[in-house]
Amino acid sequence: TDKALSFFEEMQQVGVAANVYTYTAAISACEKEGRWEEALSLLERMSADGITPSIQTYTAAISACQKGRQAKPAMGLLDRMVNDGIEPDVIAYSAAICACGNAELAQPAQKLFEDMKRRG
């Protein structure tokens, strides 16, 4: 993860502009180790740079929250996806539901499950 994030930073220092793919790769690297705070920080930086996150970007960030046992940020990211016009898929929902399970939040997990079923 550290190598991937260092490479991401070095790319920008030498003038290679970040895009949705490089941000998603960096967020995915954070997800692998549950470094949810870094993943969310990159997501915010991405938005500040005017780059629209993809469903893969959001899912990686939600998964990072799940691995870091952070249910509330994971649920917030699902809401943000919808507000950004991106329909969460079963992978995004599953990660958020697992985050709720890790935090022993049964009611929010049930609500997310119902939302997922309703959306199809």
Side-chain angles (χ1 to χ4, degrees):
T1 300
D2 290 331
K3 283 185 180 182
L5 294 176
S6 291
F7 184 67
F8 176 77
E9 294 299 334
E10 286 176 34
M11 285 176 48
Q12 292 182 24
Q13 289 173 2
V14 297
V16 177
N19 60 33
V20 67
Y21 303 107
T22 58
Y23 270 109
T24 301
I27 291 169
S28 292
C30 293
E31 178 265 334
K32 301 291 183 235
E33 293 185 12
R35 292 164 66 168
W36 65 276
E37 290 171 311
E38 288 178 79
L40 295 183
S41 176
L42 285 166
L43 189 63
E44 291 307 316
R45 189 166 138 196
M46 182 181 189
S47 294
D49 285 349
I51 300 169
T52 303
S54 68
I55 190 167
Q56 292 83 6
T57 311
Y58 277 116
T59 301
I62 292 167
S63 292
C65 292
Q66 181 258 317
K67 288 183 179 175
R69 299 183 174 274
Q70 300 297 316
K72 289 183 182 179
M75 292 185 299
L77 288 172
L78 273 180
D79 289 339
R80 183 170 161 187
M81 284 177 77
V82 172
N83 290 339
D84 285 351
I86 299 171
E87 191 68 30
D89 62 7
V90 68
I91 299 167
Y93 271 111
S94 293
I97 290 167
C98 285
C100 290
N102 290 344
E104 298 181 13
L105 299 173
Q107 282 187 317
Q110 183 65 35
K111 181 186 177 301
L112 289 174
F113 182 72
E114 295 300 325
D115 287 349
M116 181 177 66
K117 285 183 7 184
R118 188 181 78 249
R119 291 180 186 268

